[in-house]
Amino acid sequence: MRTPVDPRATWDLPAPGAMPRTADLEPLVTRVLAPNPSPMTLDGTNTYLVGAPGSGQAVLVDPGPDDPAHLAAVEAALAARDARCVAVLVTHHHGDHAEAALPWGMRFAAQVAAADARVAGPAGRVLEPGDRLALAGTALHVVPTPGHTADHLAFRLESGAVLVGDHVLGRGTSVVTHPEGDVRAYLASLRRVHDLGPSALYCGHGPELTEDPGAVLDFYLAHRAFREQQLLAAMVRGAGTVDELVSDVYAEVPREVWPAAAQSTRATLDKLAAEGHVVLESDRVSLP
Protein backbone atom coordinates (compact mmCIF):
# COMPACT_ATOMS: atom_id res chain seq x y z
CA MET A 1 0.00 0.00 0.00
CA ARG A 2 1.53 3.27 -1.10
CA THR A 3 0.29 6.34 0.76
CA PRO A 4 -1.38 8.77 -1.66
CA VAL A 5 0.46 12.07 -1.99
CA ASP A 6 -1.58 15.17 -1.31
CA PRO A 7 -0.81 17.65 -4.12
CA ARG A 8 -1.59 20.57 -1.81
CA ALA A 9 1.54 19.80 0.21
CA THR A 10 3.63 21.78 -2.27
CA TRP A 11 1.13 24.57 -2.92
CA ASP A 12 1.47 28.06 -1.52
CA LEU A 13 -1.55 27.94 0.77
CA PRO A 14 -2.01 30.11 3.87
CA ALA A 15 -0.92 28.46 7.08
CA PRO A 16 -3.62 27.35 9.53
CA GLY A 17 -4.94 30.42 11.31
CA ALA A 18 -3.55 32.79 8.67
CA MET A 19 -6.53 33.05 6.32
CA PRO A 20 -7.77 36.63 5.91
CA ARG A 21 -11.17 37.43 7.36
CA THR A 22 -12.43 38.69 3.99
CA ALA A 23 -11.01 37.97 0.54
CA ASP A 24 -12.11 38.64 -3.03
CA LEU A 25 -11.47 35.33 -4.84
CA GLU A 26 -12.64 36.37 -8.32
CA PRO A 27 -14.98 39.05 -9.69
CA LEU A 28 -17.99 36.90 -8.88
CA VAL A 29 -16.97 35.78 -5.38
CA THR A 30 -16.01 37.22 -2.01
CA ARG A 31 -15.24 34.91 0.91
CA VAL A 32 -15.95 35.87 4.53
CA LEU A 33 -14.43 33.65 7.23
CA ALA A 34 -16.60 32.96 10.27
CA PRO A 35 -14.99 33.16 13.73
CA ASN A 36 -15.64 29.50 14.62
CA PRO A 37 -12.28 27.72 14.26
CA SER A 38 -11.95 24.19 15.61
CA PRO A 39 -10.29 20.88 14.73
CA MET A 40 -13.36 20.04 12.62
CA THR A 41 -14.02 23.47 11.05
CA LEU A 42 -10.31 24.30 10.49
CA ASP A 43 -9.96 28.12 10.29
CA GLY A 44 -13.74 28.47 10.50
CA THR A 45 -16.70 28.27 8.14
CA ASN A 46 -16.29 29.96 4.77
CA THR A 47 -19.29 32.09 3.83
CA TYR A 48 -19.43 33.17 0.19
CA LEU A 49 -20.99 36.17 -1.51
CA VAL A 50 -21.67 35.51 -5.20
CA GLY A 51 -22.83 38.09 -7.72
CA ALA A 52 -21.92 39.86 -10.92
CA PRO A 53 -19.98 43.09 -10.35
CA GLY A 54 -22.25 46.08 -10.76
CA SER A 55 -25.43 44.06 -10.34
CA GLY A 56 -26.08 45.56 -6.92
CA GLN A 57 -27.00 42.09 -5.69
CA ALA A 58 -25.32 39.07 -4.12
CA VAL A 59 -26.22 35.54 -3.12
CA LEU A 60 -25.09 34.41 0.32
CA VAL A 61 -23.87 30.79 0.34
CA ASP A 62 -23.46 28.98 3.68
CA PRO A 63 -24.05 31.83 6.15
CA GLY A 64 -22.59 29.69 8.92
CA PRO A 65 -23.04 30.43 12.63
CA ASP A 66 -25.54 33.06 13.74
CA ASP A 67 -22.78 35.19 15.21
CA PRO A 68 -22.97 39.01 15.49
CA ALA A 69 -19.34 39.54 14.52
CA HIS A 70 -19.73 37.30 11.50
CA LEU A 71 -22.92 39.08 10.46
CA ALA A 72 -21.10 42.42 10.72
CA ALA A 73 -18.28 41.12 8.52
CA VAL A 74 -20.77 39.81 5.94
CA GLU A 75 -22.65 43.10 5.90
CA ALA A 76 -19.36 44.98 5.46
CA ALA A 77 -18.49 42.71 2.51
CA LEU A 78 -21.92 43.35 0.98
CA ALA A 79 -21.38 47.09 1.37
CA ALA A 80 -17.94 46.82 -0.25
CA ARG A 81 -19.60 45.12 -3.22
CA ASP A 82 -22.38 47.75 -3.15
CA ALA A 83 -24.79 44.85 -3.09
CA ARG A 84 -27.81 43.63 -1.19
CA CYS A 85 -28.40 39.98 -0.37
CA VAL A 86 -31.13 38.52 -2.59
CA ALA A 87 -30.94 34.84 -1.59
CA VAL A 88 -29.37 32.55 0.99
CA LEU A 89 -28.17 29.16 -0.25
CA VAL A 90 -27.04 26.31 2.00
CA THR A 91 -24.90 23.33 0.97
CA HIS A 92 -26.14 21.08 3.81
CA HIS A 93 -27.88 21.13 7.15
CA HIS A 94 -24.93 21.06 9.58
CA GLY A 95 -25.13 23.96 11.99
CA ASP A 96 -21.73 25.42 11.19
CA HIS A 97 -23.10 26.07 7.68
CA ALA A 98 -26.83 26.51 8.19
CA GLU A 99 -27.48 28.00 11.63
CA ALA A 100 -27.75 31.59 10.39
CA ALA A 101 -29.76 30.75 7.25
CA LEU A 102 -33.26 31.48 8.52
CA PRO A 103 -32.49 34.44 10.82
CA TRP A 104 -30.32 36.11 8.19
CA GLY A 105 -32.84 35.34 5.48
CA MET A 106 -35.36 37.27 7.54
CA ARG A 107 -32.87 40.09 8.18
CA PHE A 108 -32.12 40.51 4.47
CA ALA A 109 -35.68 39.71 3.31
CA ALA A 110 -34.09 37.01 1.14
CA GLN A 111 -35.40 33.54 0.36
CA VAL A 112 -33.48 30.60 1.83
CA ALA A 113 -32.82 27.65 -0.46
CA ALA A 114 -31.45 24.21 0.41
CA ALA A 115 -32.02 20.54 -0.36
CA ASP A 116 -33.53 20.01 3.11
CA ALA A 117 -36.94 21.62 3.61
CA ARG A 118 -36.16 22.09 7.30
CA VAL A 119 -33.18 24.26 6.41
CA ALA A 120 -35.06 26.20 3.72
CA GLY A 121 -37.91 26.93 6.12
CA PRO A 122 -41.63 27.29 5.40
CA ALA A 123 -41.14 30.16 2.94
CA GLY A 124 -37.98 28.74 1.41
CA ARG A 125 -37.14 26.83 -1.75
CA VAL A 126 -36.21 23.17 -1.81
CA LEU A 127 -33.43 22.73 -4.35
CA GLU A 128 -33.31 19.82 -6.77
CA PRO A 129 -30.30 18.39 -8.64
CA GLY A 130 -29.79 20.23 -11.91
CA ASP A 131 -31.61 23.40 -10.86
CA ARG A 132 -30.26 26.57 -12.47
CA LEU A 133 -30.52 29.59 -10.22
CA ALA A 134 -30.47 32.89 -12.12
CA LEU A 135 -29.59 35.34 -9.36
CA ALA A 136 -27.50 38.47 -8.79
CA GLY A 137 -26.68 38.89 -12.46
CA THR A 138 -25.21 35.41 -12.80
CA ALA A 139 -26.24 31.76 -12.62
CA LEU A 140 -25.49 29.02 -10.12
CA HIS A 141 -26.00 25.37 -11.09
CA VAL A 142 -27.08 22.94 -8.37
CA VAL A 143 -24.86 19.84 -8.28
CA PRO A 144 -25.94 16.90 -6.08
CA THR A 145 -23.04 15.82 -3.86
CA PRO A 146 -24.48 13.45 -1.24
CA GLY A 147 -22.11 11.48 0.94
CA HIS A 148 -20.91 13.78 3.71
CA THR A 149 -24.63 14.15 4.36
CA ALA A 150 -27.61 12.95 2.35
CA ASP A 151 -28.72 16.54 1.60
CA HIS A 152 -25.33 17.88 0.51
CA LEU A 153 -25.21 20.12 -2.58
CA ALA A 154 -22.50 21.98 -4.46
CA PHE A 155 -22.94 25.06 -6.63
CA ARG A 156 -21.16 25.50 -9.95
CA LEU A 157 -20.55 29.09 -10.98
CA GLU A 158 -20.41 30.55 -14.48
CA SER A 159 -16.65 31.04 -13.98
CA GLY A 160 -16.23 27.26 -13.70
CA ALA A 161 -15.50 27.35 -9.99
CA VAL A 162 -17.50 25.07 -7.68
CA LEU A 163 -18.61 25.90 -4.15
CA VAL A 164 -18.18 22.46 -2.60
CA GLY A 165 -19.20 22.95 1.03
CA ASP A 166 -17.86 20.08 3.15
CA HIS A 167 -17.49 17.76 0.15
CA VAL A 168 -13.85 18.87 -0.18
CA LEU A 169 -11.84 20.79 2.39
CA GLY A 170 -9.02 23.22 1.78
CA ARG A 171 -6.83 21.16 4.10
CA GLY A 172 -7.06 17.48 4.99
CA THR A 173 -10.02 15.34 3.98
CA SER A 174 -13.73 15.48 4.67
CA VAL A 175 -15.46 13.22 7.19
CA VAL A 176 -18.20 10.84 6.09
CA THR A 177 -20.03 10.06 9.30
CA HIS A 178 -22.19 7.13 10.38
CA PRO A 179 -25.11 6.75 10.06
CA GLU A 180 -25.64 10.09 8.34
CA GLY A 181 -23.00 9.74 5.64
CA ASP A 182 -22.66 7.29 2.78
CA VAL A 183 -19.20 6.47 1.43
CA ARG A 184 -20.46 5.01 -1.82
CA ALA A 185 -22.52 8.13 -2.51
CA TYR A 186 -19.56 10.28 -1.49
CA LEU A 187 -17.22 8.60 -3.99
CA ALA A 188 -19.78 8.99 -6.76
CA SER A 189 -20.12 12.66 -5.85
CA LEU A 190 -16.36 13.17 -6.00
CA ARG A 191 -16.38 11.76 -9.52
CA ARG A 192 -19.34 13.95 -10.44
CA VAL A 193 -17.49 17.11 -9.39
CA HIS A 194 -14.33 15.87 -11.11
CA ASP A 195 -16.28 15.44 -14.36
CA LEU A 196 -17.26 19.12 -14.21
CA GLY A 197 -13.62 20.07 -14.71
CA PRO A 198 -13.75 22.79 -12.05
CA SER A 199 -11.50 25.81 -12.44
CA ALA A 200 -11.40 26.16 -8.66
CA LEU A 201 -12.83 24.52 -5.55
CA TYR A 202 -14.17 26.95 -2.99
CA CYS A 203 -14.37 24.85 0.17
CA GLY A 204 -16.57 25.08 3.23
CA HIS A 205 -13.45 25.17 5.40
CA GLY A 206 -9.85 26.03 4.63
CA PRO A 207 -8.35 27.90 1.69
CA GLU A 208 -9.60 27.90 -1.88
CA LEU A 209 -8.03 25.34 -4.21
CA THR A 210 -7.14 26.88 -7.57
CA GLU A 211 -3.84 25.38 -8.69
CA ASP A 212 -5.06 21.94 -9.80
CA PRO A 213 -8.54 21.10 -8.50
CA GLY A 214 -8.65 17.83 -10.44
CA ALA A 215 -5.51 16.60 -8.70
CA VAL A 216 -7.12 17.24 -5.30
CA LEU A 217 -10.20 15.25 -6.32
CA ASP A 218 -7.94 12.43 -7.56
CA PHE A 219 -6.18 12.49 -4.18
CA TYR A 220 -9.50 12.34 -2.33
CA LEU A 221 -10.52 9.26 -4.31
CA ALA A 222 -7.12 7.63 -3.76
CA HIS A 223 -7.21 8.49 -0.05
CA ARG A 224 -10.56 6.73 0.39
CA ALA A 225 -9.29 3.61 -1.37
CA PHE A 226 -6.15 3.72 0.78
CA ARG A 227 -8.22 3.93 3.97
CA GLU A 228 -10.16 0.86 2.91
CA GLN A 229 -6.93 -1.07 2.42
CA GLN A 230 -5.64 0.12 5.79
CA LEU A 231 -8.78 -1.10 7.53
CA LEU A 232 -8.58 -4.51 5.88
CA ALA A 233 -4.88 -4.78 6.81
CA ALA A 234 -5.66 -3.82 10.41
CA MET A 235 -8.26 -6.57 10.54
CA VAL A 236 -5.68 -9.07 9.33
CA ARG A 237 -3.55 -7.91 12.26
CA GLY A 238 -6.43 -8.71 14.63
CA ALA A 239 -8.50 -5.51 14.98
CA GLY A 240 -12.13 -6.52 15.38
CA THR A 241 -13.99 -3.42 16.55
CA VAL A 242 -14.32 0.16 15.33
CA ASP A 243 -12.26 1.44 18.29
CA GLU A 244 -9.49 -1.06 17.59
CA LEU A 245 -9.44 -0.10 13.93
CA VAL A 246 -9.23 3.61 14.78
CA SER A 247 -6.39 3.00 17.25
CA ASP A 248 -4.49 1.14 14.55
CA VAL A 249 -5.18 3.19 11.43
CA TYR A 250 -5.24 6.64 13.05
CA ALA A 251 -2.41 6.07 15.54
CA GLU A 252 -0.50 9.14 14.33
CA VAL A 253 -3.55 11.40 14.17
CA PRO A 254 -4.36 13.67 17.17
CA ARG A 255 -6.80 11.94 19.51
CA GLU A 256 -9.14 14.92 19.46
CA VAL A 257 -10.27 13.88 15.98
CA TRP A 258 -10.60 10.15 16.81
CA PRO A 259 -14.37 10.41 17.42
CA ALA A 260 -14.81 11.75 13.88
CA ALA A 261 -12.42 9.07 12.60
CA ALA A 262 -14.57 6.44 14.29
CA GLN A 263 -17.65 7.74 12.49
CA SER A 264 -15.84 7.76 9.15
CA THR A 265 -14.49 4.26 9.83
CA ARG A 266 -17.98 2.97 10.58
CA ALA A 267 -19.28 4.48 7.35
CA THR A 268 -16.44 2.86 5.39
CA LEU A 269 -17.19 -0.50 6.99
CA ASP A 270 -20.79 -0.18 5.79
CA LYS A 271 -19.46 0.14 2.25
CA LEU A 272 -17.08 -2.80 2.65
CA ALA A 273 -19.86 -4.93 4.14
CA ALA A 274 -22.24 -4.09 1.28
CA GLU A 275 -19.53 -5.20 -1.15
CA GLY A 276 -18.95 -8.45 0.75
CA HIS A 277 -15.40 -7.61 1.89
CA VAL A 278 -16.21 -7.70 5.63
CA VAL A 279 -18.88 -9.05 7.96
CA LEU A 280 -20.30 -6.32 10.18
CA GLU A 281 -22.31 -7.07 13.32
CA SER A 282 -23.07 -3.97 15.37
CA ASP A 283 -19.66 -2.62 16.47
CA ARG A 284 -17.77 -5.78 15.61
CA VAL A 285 -16.27 -6.57 12.24
CA SER A 286 -14.51 -9.58 10.75
CA LEU A 287 -13.22 -10.81 7.46
CA PRO A 288 -15.55 -13.23 5.62
Side-chain angles (χ1 to χ4, degrees), residues 194-283:
H194 196 296
D195 288 346
L196 295 174
S199 61
L201 299 175
Y202 296 153
C203 309
H205 306 281
E208 63 275 10
L209 303 174
T210 61
E211 188 167 331
D212 191 346
V216 177
L217 293 165
D218 286 336
F219 166 72
Y220 263 54
L221 288 163
H223 170 77
R224 286 289 167 185
F226 179 68
R227 279 284 187 248
E228 290 182 17
Q229 293 303 312
Q230 285 183 302
L231 292 174
L232 293 171
M235 292 174 63
V236 170
R237 291 191 292 270
T241 67
V242 170
D243 287 344
E244 290 170 356
L245 287 167
V246 170
S247 296
D248 185 309
V249 173
Y250 294 88
E252 298 182 1
V253 175
R255 282 181 172 266
E256 61 190 359
V257 300
W258 277 21
Q263 292 295 311
S264 189
T265 295
R266 184 63 174 77
T268 302
L269 292 175
D270 279 353
K271 173 183 180 293
L272 292 172
E275 296 170 345
H277 298 305
V278 303
V279 177
L280 188 58
E281 298 178 1
S282 186
D283 192 45

Side-chain angles (χ1 to χ4, degrees), residues 14-173:
M19 287 177 61
R21 185 66 177 272
T22 302
D24 294 323
L25 305 185
E26 59 170 273
L28 283 174
V29 182
T30 297
R31 183 192 67 223
V32 183
L33 178 63
N36 62 333
S38 76
M40 296 304 297
T41 60
L42 306 183
D43 301 71
T45 299
N46 292 326
T47 295
Y48 295 95
L49 302 178
V50 179
S55 68
Q57 300 179 344
V59 176
L60 184 63
V61 181
D62 279 355
D66 187 13
D67 176 88
H70 187 41
L71 175 60
V74 168
E75 290 183 328
L78 285 167
R81 294 182 67 95
D82 193 22
R84 63 183 179 88
C85 174
V86 295
V88 178
L89 308 183
V90 185
T91 60
H92 63 297
H93 70 272
H94 284 167
D96 59 315
H97 293 256
E99 182 185 59
L102 291 178
W104 290 14
M106 291 181 61
R107 181 179 181 87
F108 296 126
Q111 186 180 53
V112 178
D116 189 324
R118 294 168 296 181
V119 175
R125 174 176 176 176
V126 176
L127 297 174
E128 300 290 342
D131 279 351
R132 180 182 182 273
L133 309 176
L135 296 164
T138 187
L140 299 89
H141 296 265
V142 177
V143 182
T145 50
H148 175 72
T149 61
D151 67 322
H152 201 287
L153 300 173
F155 300 99
R156 188 177 189 272
L157 308 183
E158 289 187 319
S159 65
V162 181
L163 304 175
V164 288
D166 279 358
H167 191 59
V168 179
L169 305 181
R171 301 187 186 91
T173 54

